[in-house]
Amino acid sequence: MKKTLIIMMLVITAMTASAQSKVYLTREISPESLVKIYKALGVPAKGRVAVKMSTGEGSNPNYLKPELIKDLVLEVDGTIVECNTAYGNGPEDVKDDRNNSANHWKVIERHGFLKYFPVDIMDEYDEMRIPVKDQSHIKYDIVGGHMANYDFMIALNHFKGHPMGGYGGALKNLSIGCASQNGKAYIHSAGKMEKLDMGKLWTPEYIGDQDGFLESMAAAAQGVVNYFNKKQGIIYISVMNNMSIDCDCVDHPEPVKLEDYGILASTDPVALDQACIDIINQQKVTAKNDPTDLLKRIDKQHGTHTIDHAEQICLGSKKYTLVSIDK
């Protein structure tokens, strides 16, 4: 009996180990290493490729620069895709706002993306609804209508903090990042507001359920993942550089207090975000490297609940094996 129990435990352990997702890591942050880690995933981009990333708020210096990502985007013959924001930093004519397409295009051009790539604001003209598996809060996901034009997505994430989500990584890029303006309102309000109303969106009536918002992000992210898995596929790459406690969507972010770490990639967005969080938690405080503020921001906003819920709804696993591609 005892021998049988031991064998069963070994089998369960082996099955658990085999179920762990692989997260690839390079400590080098360069155009070449982005291509290298993409190839390490072993999932070639096919068809019309969308590279979903944030092109950064007008005066934010921390976004992923075109010069860093260009080799990867050109390698896959990709199009940079974005959506308009659901907030504003000032009057309609303020150039740094991305809450309307006219100003958003000005920021995209000023940040240098049009020099290298085609860029598509996916909700510039329309939006569409895609199914979600978890309907605890939202009944569908409202994304930019141009998403229908793409067969494969690379979620190219800049890992950093976020004022409302606690942190920004793959799950946020898939959910809020791919959502139209109405979709952003729908997620932020945990399903209470289907059409953006700036006068109401940030009031306690619509924004009071923090965990509901985080769970809605996980549900929306799963909707996007399922959408592309029914086409040609989707992969996730996160760059850990210029890590402020604020997102690239913040016009004037708090100073960066963390040293650049590296690039991570996975076919599992949950494992990828968890690995990035674990890396931040493992950082030691030094004169040049201090994770304290970012960890406080994540804790204050209950940010890791997004990852927990994403695992709960079977979007991915928090268990992973870290695989270095550095020699």
Side-chain angles (χ1 to χ4, degrees):
M1 182 70 179
K2 185 177 180 181
K3 185 177 180 181
T4 303
L5 182 60
I6 292 172
I7 292 173
M8 289 177 63
M9 290 176 65
L10 289 172
V11 169
I12 292 171
T13 302
M15 290 175 63
T16 302
S18 65
Q20 289 187 349
S21 299
K22 287 185 179 180
V23 176
Y24 294 90
L25 166 68
T26 174
R27 297 298 302 273
E28 178 185 331
I29 302 177
S30 70
E32 295 79 13
S33 61
L34 264 175
V35 174
K36 183 179 177 182
I37 204 165
Y38 154 70
K39 291 182 176 180
L41 289 173
V43 183
K46 300 177 181 178
R48 297 163 295 181
V49 180
V51 180
K52 174 64 193 75
M53 60 171 294
S54 172
T55 52
E57 203 63 27
S59 297
N60 188 308
N62 297 328
Y63 62 94
L64 299 179
K65 304 301 188 292
E67 291 74 20
L68 174 63
I69 69 167
K70 67 181 180 67
D71 286 6
L72 173 63
V73 180
L74 296 175
E75 171 78 21
V76 300
D77 192 22
T79 297
I80 302 296
V81 299
E82 265 272 48
C83 284
N84 289 319
T85 62
Y87 56 82
N89 295 317
E92 283 295 302
D93 62 349
V94 175
K95 293 181 180 179
D96 286 350
D97 282 357
R98 294 182 297 141
N99 64 344
N100 65 76
S101 295
N103 285 343
H104 198 162
W105 278 118
K106 293 175 184 177
V107 174
I108 289 169
E109 182 174 14
R110 192 162 73 252
H111 283 180
F113 288 91
L114 297 182
K115 291 190 298 183
Y116 302 106
F117 327 110
V119 181
D120 184 2
I121 300 176
M122 292 193 293
D123 66 334
E124 183 169 14
Y125 302 110
D126 57 5
E127 63 188 19
M128 65 179 187
R129 295 178 179 180
I130 61 174
V132 295
K133 179 181 176 182
D134 172 33
Q135 298 186 5
S136 304
H137 304 285
I138 59 175
K139 305 308 177 187
Y140 39 79
D141 189 19
I142 312 173
V143 300
H146 297 184
M147 186 183 284
N149 297 333
Y150 301 97
D151 306 306
F152 190 99
M153 177 172 278
I154 298 176
L156 182 54
N157 324 296
H158 177 212
F159 186 86
K160 67 287 177 188
H162 189 273
M164 299 192 69
Y167 81 95
L171 296 175
K172 178 182 176 294
N173 195 18
L174 293 166
S175 55
I176 294 295
C178 292
S180 67
Q181 289 186 312
N182 290 327
K184 287 177 171 63
Y186 193 44
I187 295 168
H188 271 290
S189 66
K192 297 176 186 176
M193 181 183 291
E194 296 183 54
K195 188 171 180 60
L196 176 64
D197 183 338
M198 287 298 297
K200 295 181 179 179
L201 178 58
W202 306 114
T203 62
E205 179 184 358
Y206 287 96
I207 209 69
D209 184 0
Q210 176 68 5
D211 279 2
F213 157 53
L214 301 176
E215 291 167 9
S216 297
M217 278 207 296
Q222 188 176 44
V224 173
V225 170
N226 290 344
Y227 179 84
F228 279 102
N229 277 334
K230 290 178 180 178
K231 290 189 161 189
Q232 294 291 344
I234 182 168
I235 58 175
Y236 320 95
I237 302 174
S238 291
V239 182
M240 300 185 74
N241 72 343
N242 298 324
M243 292 178 285
S244 167
I245 66 169
D246 286 325
C247 180
D248 298 344
C249 63
V250 175
D251 203 27
H252 299 285
E254 290 295 314
V256 171
K257 295 183 180 180
L258 277 161
E259 292 183 315
D260 294 349
Y261 189 85
I263 304 172
L264 290 81
S266 184
T267 57
D268 181 342
V270 178
L272 181 59
D273 275 8
Q274 184 64 55
C276 292
I277 292 287
D278 289 344
I279 286 169
I280 297 300
N281 272 298
Q282 292 161 9
Q283 297 299 296
K284 295 181 180 179
V285 177
T286 68
K288 295 182 179 180
N289 192 60
D290 190 350
T292 305
D293 290 347
L294 178 52
L295 290 172
K296 285 181 177 179
R297 170 65 61 83
I298 294 169
D299 184 62
K300 178 183 178 182
Q301 298 304 99
H302 203 192
T304 56
H305 184 64
T306 310
I307 302 174
D308 295 339
H309 191 71
E311 183 183 55
Q312 183 180 341
I313 62 176
C314 301
L315 175 51
S317 173
K318 294 194 297 181
K319 297 177 181 178
Y320 63 89
T321 301
L322 202 60
V323 180
S324 174
I325 64 171
D326 297 331
K327 292 183 179 180

